[in-house]
Amino acid sequence: MNTTASTTPATSTTSRIALSFTAQQQETIARSLAAGEARDLAGLAARAVRETVEGGFSRLPMPATSRRERAWRDHLPKRPGAERELLDELVLEPGTGRAIEMAAGEVLRLEQIEGSQCLDFNCFSMADYREAFHTGRTRTLHGINPTTGDFLWSAPPRERAMMFILADSVGCNDVLFPRCSANMYESVYGFTRHTNCADIQAEAQREYGLTPDDVHDSFNLFMSTEVVDGMPRIRRQDTAPGDHVELLALMDVLAVPNICGSDVQPTSNYSLKPVLVQRFRASEADLAAVPELWEYDSQRTPADFAQPRIRSERALTRDPAYVPAFLTDAVVTTVEDVELDADTRSLFERMWDDGLSARYATRGAGLRDVLFSWWAATHGH
């Protein structure tokens, strides 16, 4: 990509606009051009401006990444049968939880017995407990109320789909609220002792040597939530006997459901009730319901980083030999002049007058916004 040292802002009397790019932005443009999305940068900018004004974005594949199909089915312990096979069954009572080992290809069914009971759910990789379910990654991909067809994702740097929501009869789940805790019940409700999800999870996980610090924010099953005026709110739920959620394990996991301990909030309609838990070996139809999964070189473990050792010490101390090693070359900027054709320039000037000029000091910055906003919209999942 040719660059120039000129940084003079373009005016409305010329069709040439100077854009400043980081090295990462240049890579994005180069990959799009290599994929044939436009002939050159001017053509890509013209496409972005036109589709933005017209409001009809193309749907384009992500160009030139390390993406490859994740062959998780290849590692299942045995071929599934045409029907599910029940492996284990229990009734989870109020005030309790259970740590349940699940092999890849098994299904966990959580079913209402009386109705309107919330469950908190933690999930860990059996191979590495530091890979655990992450509400933030899941919320980003599937919203605050994940349901059938969505995945439960682990945290960076691993960022893998751990479980698949195979069935959900009510669509009443949440990844917005944290687990309730002993301190919440004292500081908000005045209880010095109250059953709570943080403590129940800690006790259930203790069977596998995990500590209270290993309890993570939960997938809140059968919990109805919304956001009102920027604040999260819990609503009464309306689940009935037989309503259920089914989670299919995509790796060997430790699944930990517990009965939510809240009886002073509308979480479970101010009552505590048992829930039926069943573990099945998945059927062929169950496995076939999971869409294609992809894996990338950027999904890493601590072994890929400068500090690969998971700490056992609790107190933090400074490493006197530490030398920063950030990817500073990725934010080096260059400037390129883009020659817009008359039609594109006319459309862009309309956008500039309609609001871009209020956000940016130069047309180059505004055009860069249009270009990368278009790119994100057209290449999004």
Side-chain angles (χ1 to χ4, degrees), residues 3-10 16-20 334-337:
T3 61
T4 176
S6 172
T7 57
T8 304
R16 186 177 293 274
I17 297 181
L19 282 77
S20 174
T334 57
V335 178
E336 178 158 355
D337 284 349

Side-chain angles (χ1 to χ4, degrees), residues 4 14 24 53 58 64 75 77 94 99-100 107 128 154 161 170 187 195 219 258 306 309 320 343 379:
T4 176
T14 178
Q24 297 167 136
V53 170
S58 303
H75 306 291
I100 302 168
V107 175
D128 179 358
S154 62
V170 287
S187 62
T195 181
F219 182 33
N258 76 269
R309 184 177 62 87
D343 289 342
H379 297 83

Side-chain angles (χ1 to χ4, degrees), residues 147-373:
T147 186
T148 304
D150 295 334
F151 294 93
L152 306 190
W153 295 87
S154 62
R158 296 165 178 88
E159 296 181 85
R160 296 195 296 170
M162 303 181 73
M163 305 192 83
F164 175 68
I165 306 178
L166 187 63
D168 180 2
S169 66
V170 287
C172 178
N173 308 306
D174 168 78
V175 285
L176 189 61
F177 276 84
R179 58 198 179 275
C180 61
S181 66
N183 179 257
M184 186 205 81
Y185 286 112
E186 180 166 19
S187 62
V188 177
Y189 296 99
F191 289 96
T192 56
R193 181 180 175 87
H194 192 283
T195 181
N196 65 85
C197 293
D199 287 357
I200 297 171
Q201 280 286 333
E203 175 55 28
Q205 294 177 23
R206 183 172 66 87
E207 183 177 2
Y208 285 79
L210 298 176
T211 74
D213 280 341
D214 298 315
V215 178
H216 59 70
D217 281 347
S218 298
F219 182 33
N220 301 311
L221 297 150
F222 309 110
M223 181 171 170
S224 180
T225 62
E226 61 184 348
V227 177
V228 178
D229 297 328
M231 291 297 293
R233 186 169 70 181
I234 302 172
R235 303 177 300 187
R236 289 178 179 83
Q237 55 157 297
D238 188 23
T239 57
D243 279 330
H244 59 275
V245 173
E246 293 178 349
L247 304 172
L248 172 62
L250 305 175
M251 61 176 71
D252 295 349
V253 299
L254 184 69
V256 193
N258 76 269
I259 301 293
C260 177
S262 179
D263 53 3
V264 292
Q265 295 174 296
T267 312
S268 299
N269 298 358
Y270 302 101
S271 63
L272 301 176
K273 301 167 288 292
V275 168
L276 176 65
V277 178
Q278 296 172 307
R279 181 172 62 93
F280 296 90
R281 182 171 290 111
S283 67
E284 293 177 359
D286 291 332
L287 299 182
V290 182
E292 281 184 315
L293 275 172
W294 307 101
E295 59 184 8
Y296 302 82
D297 292 343
S298 54
Q299 293 169 299
R300 296 168 290 174
T301 69
D304 299 305
F305 288 79
Q307 160 50 318
R309 184 177 62 87
I310 295 177
R311 292 174 53 87
S312 58
E313 305 90 347
R314 303 292 287 188
L316 294 175
T317 57
R318 179 180 175 274
D319 178 2
Y322 168 74
V323 177
F326 300 108
L327 298 176
T328 53
D329 59 322
V331 292
V332 175
T333 59
T334 57
V335 178
E336 178 158 355
D337 284 349
V338 179
E339 187 80 25
L340 300 182
D341 61 70
D343 289 342
T344 301
R345 185 55 191 249
S346 177
L347 291 174
F348 176 71
E349 286 302 318
R350 187 196 310 174
M351 299 174 71
W352 182 256
D353 293 338
D354 286 347
L356 279 176
S357 61
R359 295 200 299 269
Y360 295 106
T362 68
R363 284 173 170 77
L367 183 56
R368 184 181 58 211
D369 182 310
V370 173
L371 177 61
F372 285 101
S373 295

Side-chain angles (χ1 to χ4, degrees), residues 61-81:
M62 187 68 67
T65 70
S66 63
R67 190 179 83 164
R68 57 195 174 271
E69 187 174 358
R70 178 178 159 190
W72 65 275
R73 293 178 180 85
D74 295 348
H75 306 291
L76 298 183
K78 62 174 289 186
R79 290 187 60 82

